[in-house]
Amino acid sequence: MAGNIELLSSVLATARAEGRAALVGYLPAGFPTVDDGVRAITAMVEGGCDVVEVGLPHSDPVLDGPVIQTADDIALRGGVRIVDVIRTVREAHAATGAPVLCMTYWNPVDAYGVERFAADLAEAGGAGCILPDLPVEESEVWRKAAEQHGLATVFVVAPSSRDERLAKITAAGSGFVYAASLMGVTGTRASVGLEAEELVRRTRAVTELPVCVGLGVSNARQAEEVARFADGVIVGSAFVKRLLDAPDLETGLAGVRALAGELAAGVAGRA
């Protein structure tokens, strides 16, 4: 089975044709458990997420803030393995029909086997991989495997990236570009700021790929603000927090679905 990069591109293009940004939701696999994580992802899509990122829990997630680190710890203590991450992608895609990407640091992919990981992710219906710590200069082996299996390779750009660096990174990527809205780790913030808008402008100057902004968006107002200049709005910590703060799973799932609905109204300019 080929990967779902075409589905990803189609969903992003449809959002653009509708005059809105796409809503991209993130949850780590195995949180709260593998089965409940699939239910939470399904609730996110039911609420209004267009695209889903499934995180591969890592013991030292350098890009992720304390909320996602807490969820990763719960997943790792629960014994989550790469096969569970692949299963989450498969079941989430089957349940929702949405494009599902895996967001992972490079080391687990390298240890699992690059070709094997790409093949398994594509077979599960995955749309691609977001690799925040893989330098583009060292990415050829992965990119060849991804291309062979119809997977997108999404690289992360940051406000510190110079224009020539942006051109190099975006030329190697596919699917979309992940624009980190500010320097630092993921998490909710009071303001997403002007740095993100400037980064999107600079990135669009060197690529035709859609540019999706992550790191810091947590409510409908911020989603609407970012949607004015980005092709997609990525939200992770706010979804995780709804599950962490809920007194029980059903309340958490209802919270996730409601937040997705609020954010979807935001990216459509109806916050």
Side-chain angles (χ1 to χ4, degrees):
M1 177 180 171
N4 272 317
I5 186 172
E6 294 87 0
L7 176 64
L8 174 65
S9 299
S10 168
V11 166
L12 292 171
T14 297
R16 175 178 274 191
E18 292 172 356
R20 64 178 179 88
L23 177 59
V24 184
Y26 166 95
L27 273 184
F31 167 75
T33 65
V34 177
D35 289 341
D36 293 340
V38 173
R39 290 184 67 196
I41 290 167
T42 303
M44 285 161 61
V45 177
E46 288 169 351
C49 283
D50 300 289
V51 179
V52 176
E53 296 176 13
V54 171
L56 195 158
H58 198 274
S59 55
D60 184 27
V62 292
L63 189 74
D64 297 311
V67 171
I68 289 173
Q69 285 189 21
T70 300
D72 278 4
D73 287 343
I74 290 168
L76 291 167
R77 284 205 304 274
V80 74
R81 302 173 64 84
I82 289 181
V83 291
D84 300 309
V85 178
I86 300 291
R87 183 184 134 206
T88 299
V89 171
R90 176 183 286 107
E91 294 184 5
H93 175 60
T96 65
V100 182
L101 297 106
C102 178
M103 184 164 188
T104 177
Y105 297 96
W106 178 244
N107 191 47
V109 177
D110 197 31
Y112 188 81
V114 175
E115 168 62 30
R116 180 183 168 209
F117 190 89
D120 287 359
L121 183 60
E123 189 276 327
C129 237
I130 302 164
L131 297 155
D133 66 338
L134 178 63
V136 69
E137 294 82 1
E138 297 167 27
S139 66
E140 189 178 356
V141 171
W142 165 260
R143 284 188 288 123
K144 279 186 175 170
E147 192 174 342
Q148 184 184 338
H149 292 284
L151 297 169
T153 297
V154 178
F155 288 111
V156 179
V157 298
S160 59
S161 306
R162 297 178 182 274
D163 290 350
E164 55 270 29
R165 182 79 186 151
L166 287 176
K168 187 170 190 176
I169 292 170
T170 56
S174 55
F176 64 89
V177 182
Y178 188 126
S181 67
L182 30 75
M183 305 303 291
V185 298
T186 61
T188 60
R189 285 176 175 78
S191 169
V192 182
L194 294 171
E195 274 191 323
E197 187 168 1
E198 175 64 9
L199 177 58
V200 170
R201 186 194 64 74
R202 290 171 52 227
T203 304
R204 281 210 179 120
V206 295
T207 185
E208 295 293 312
L209 288 172
V211 184
C212 300
V213 171
L215 276 66
V217 176
S218 62
N219 59 48
R221 183 184 55 77
Q222 291 172 339
E224 184 171 7
E225 178 191 336
V226 174
R228 289 193 193 116
F229 58 81
D231 299 297
V233 178
I234 302 168
V235 180
S237 295
F239 283 119
V240 173
K241 200 167 186 313
R242 288 287 171 110
L243 288 170
L244 284 172
D245 291 350
D248 56 67
L249 178 66
E250 295 307 321
T251 306
L253 294 175
V256 161
R257 190 179 289 106
L259 177 61
E262 292 159 21
L263 293 165
V267 299
R270 300 191 308 267

